[in-house]
Amino acid sequence: MMYDVLIIGGGASGLIAACALALRGRRVVLLEKQARVGRKLLSTGNGRCNLTNLKAGAGDYHGARQAAQAALRAWPPKKVLGFFEAIGIPCSADEAGRVYPLSRQAASVLDALRLCCDENGVETRSDFRVVKLEKRGKAFTATGDGGQAVSARCALVCTGGLAAPKLGASGEGYRLLEGFGHRITPRFPAIAALKTPPEAVRGLKGIRAEGEIALVSEGKELRTEAGEVLFAENGVSGIAAMQLARQVNEALRAGKKCEARLNFLPGGNVGEMLRARAERLPKRTLDDFLNGIVARRLGQRLAKAAGLELALPAGSLTAAQVKRLAEALAGWTLPVTGTLDFDQAQVTAGGASLKDFDIRDMQSLRAPGLFAAGEVLDVDGDCGGFNLQWAWSSALMAAEGMMKLLEEER
C-alpha cells in the first residue's frame, strides 16, 4: 500500500502532524520504534504537560532562531491551543504564560492525540525501528530492522534528539537525514544541572534557595536567571541553574572557564540589612546568623566563604567583615566544570542544520518531499513550554507543507 505520508517518530511532533494530516483526509502511517508512542511527552511539565507559553518569542530559542521565529509566525501559541481545543484538550495559562491542560495531566494530552489518530485512520506501527530511509522515484521507503518496508509520497522525520535516552532518545533521525546529505551541527545537553567540584557544594545536598544565578565566563556575564536553586551532591540544579546549561556547554567547548555567581538577596542593600540584623542579634554567632535568610547549613557555608569564624558573635563584626559577608550572600561564586549528560538533560542543543531546509514548511532542500520537525532540528528553547511549542509549530508547518505538495501532485 502506498501511503500519502510516513512519519518516523511517535513523539509530540509526530503525533500532532499525524492528526493534522489525517483530519484533512490523508493516508498516514506513523512508525515508532518503542512499544508505545509519546513516552517523553508524559514526562513534560512534571507530568502536567506544559503545552506552550503564551509569551513565546524568538528570543526564547537558540540555534536556528530564524526558523523558530518562522514557526511562531505560522503557528503561534494561541493557534496551537485552538488545535488542541478542537481535539478535546481545553487549557489554561498561569501568570508566567505557561499553558497546561485543564486536567493538569500529560496523559490527557497524549490520549487526545492518540484518539484523534485512531478516529481518523492513522495507522500506527509500534516496535518499528527504521534502519533505512531512501527515495525511490517519487516515493520514500522506510525499512525496519526486521526487513519490513513502508512507502509513501512524503516522509517526516521527527525522532527527537539525544536527551532522555531512558525515554527512547537515540539520535537515529540524524543518521537518516545524513543519508540525504543533511548536515548535523554539534549536539550537547541543554536544560541540565550544572556540575561543580564536589568540595564546592559539600554538605549542601538537598538545600533549596531562591535568588539569582549568573553564569560568568572570563569576566563576562553570559546569562542570569532567577528562581529556585537546588544543591546537589556534585553541583546545582533547579530551573534557574538548568537554564544556563546551554551557555555553559558552549563556553566550555570554546575552551573558556565558567563560574556560577549566586545572589540570595537580589535587589536589596545587603550590607545595610546585615548591619541592622547584627545590631538586633548581637549575641548570635555566625553559626546561626544567616538562618532564616537562607538555610542554616548554607548560611554557615557563606560565612566560611567570607573567611569568618562561625563562633564569632554578630555584634563583634567589623564594617569590613560585614561587607565580606554581604558579598558572599549576594555574590557567592562557584566554579562550573560542566553539566550533567544527556541521561539527565531535558533537551538537545544542536541537530540537523536548518540551512538544509526551507523554514517556511520544514521541507528538505536536498530531497523534495522529505520534511523534519521538532528536536531533531537545530532549535532548542528555554524551559517553560517553549520546546513543546517548537515541536507543535514545526510539525504543523511540515504538515501544511506536505498537504500542499500532495495537492500539487494530483
Side-chain angles (χ1 to χ4, degrees):
M1 176 180 177
M2 175 69 72
Y3 295 90
D4 291 322
V5 178
L6 69 86
I7 298 174
I8 304 173
S13 292
L15 287 166
I16 200 168
C19 289
L21 289 158
L23 285 166
R24 298 280 296 273
R26 293 301 176 182
R27 293 170 297 175
V28 180
V29 60
L30 177 63
L31 309 178
E32 169 55 48
K33 70 175 182 178
Q34 298 190 91
R36 54 194 175 100
V37 298
R39 285 188 65 203
K40 189 174 180 181
L41 183 60
L42 288 175
S43 70
T44 57
N46 291 321
R48 296 182 299 159
C49 198
N50 184 184
L51 275 170
T52 184
N53 195 303
L54 296 178
K55 299 178 181 179
D60 299 303
Y61 293 90
H62 312 279
R65 190 168 282 167
Q66 189 175 6
Q69 189 172 39
L72 288 171
R73 280 197 301 264
W75 280 90
K78 288 187 178 180
K79 189 175 178 182
V80 168
L81 293 180
F83 186 96
F84 277 103
E85 181 81 35
I87 64 170
I89 297 294
C91 300
S92 64
D94 65 15
E95 66 283 353
R98 295 182 293 252
V99 178
Y100 299 89
L102 288 185
S103 67
R104 293 299 193 269
Q105 294 290 317
S108 299
V109 178
L110 177 56
D111 286 343
L113 290 166
R114 287 193 304 101
L115 288 168
C116 181
C117 285
D118 293 344
E119 291 163 356
N120 291 281
V122 174
E123 183 178 338
T124 300
R125 298 193 188 183
S126 56
D127 294 313
F128 193 121
R129 178 175 175 266
V130 177
V131 295
K132 183 190 295 183
L133 179 63
E134 53 191 337
K135 190 173 186 180
R136 301 173 181 173
K138 291 186 177 181
F140 289 86
T141 298
T143 304
D145 55 7
Q148 66 274 45
V150 178
S151 297
R153 302 303 299 270
C154 297
L156 172 63
V157 176
C158 46
T159 50
L162 295 170
K166 292 178 182 178
L167 299 177
S170 63
E172 293 178 353
Y174 305 128
R175 175 179 52 79
L176 298 177
L177 292 172
E178 283 179 318
F180 291 91
H182 282 268
R183 294 164 288 182
I184 310 300
T185 68
R187 289 143 292 167
F188 48 89
I191 310 184
L194 310 184
K195 292 197 296 186
T196 68
E199 62 274 12
V201 292
R202 185 165 290 137
L204 299 179
K205 182 180 178 180
I207 290 178
R208 299 174 185 269
E210 292 288 329
E212 289 182 349
I213 178 168
L215 178 65
V216 180
S217 178
E218 298 185 351
K220 181 180 179 182
E221 189 173 302
L222 302 182
R223 182 172 180 174
T224 300
E225 288 291 327
E228 184 183 75
V229 172
L230 170 63
F231 289 92
E233 189 170 357
N234 297 311
V236 287
S237 186
I239 291 302
M242 294 170 71
Q243 292 274 47
L244 306 178
R246 189 187 216 281
Q247 286 77 13
V248 166
N249 281 312
E250 286 178 329
L252 293 177
R253 288 168 64 87
K256 300 176 181 179
K257 293 183 178 181
C258 290
E259 295 177 324
R261 187 176 65 227
L262 292 95
N263 183 351
F264 300 105
L265 283 174
N269 188 329
V270 182
E272 183 58 37
M273 186 271 286
L274 291 181
R275 279 191 291 273
R277 184 178 179 87
E279 290 176 3
R280 289 196 306 273
L281 305 168
K283 296 181 180 180
R284 188 163 298 178
T285 64
L286 294 190
D287 194 48
D288 294 298
F289 182 62
L290 295 181
N291 182 44
I293 300 174
V294 292
R296 183 171 183 266
R297 278 186 290 148
L298 178 55
Q300 292 169 346
R301 175 56 62 86
L302 294 174
K304 289 180 179 178
L308 302 173
E309 294 292 333
L310 296 183
L312 194 65
S316 68
L317 289 173
T318 65
Q321 289 173 326
V322 170
K323 181 181 179 183
R324 293 211 308 269
L325 188 59
E327 289 171 346
L329 191 59
W332 187 36
T333 300
L334 301 173
V336 177
T337 59
T339 70
L340 294 187
D341 59 18
F342 284 114
D343 284 341
Q344 304 296 325
Q346 294 185 14
V347 180
T348 305
S353 173
L354 269 300
K355 293 178 181 178
D356 296 331
F357 290 87
D358 185 336
I359 63 172
R360 295 172 297 180
D361 61 6
M362 301 301 160
Q363 183 173 192
S364 170
L365 297 174
R366 295 176 178 267
L370 176 64
F371 295 75
E375 194 177 348
V376 74
L377 295 168
D378 179 22
V379 172
D380 60 287
D382 291 335
C383 193
F386 303 109
N387 286 293
L388 271 182
Q389 170 63 32
W390 165 248
W392 311 131
S393 59
S394 60
L396 289 166
M397 287 177 74
E400 289 180 335
M402 286 183 277
M403 283 296 304
K404 182 179 179 181
L405 192 65
L406 291 166
E407 289 169 359
E408 289 174 348
E409 289 183 352
R410 292 177 62 180

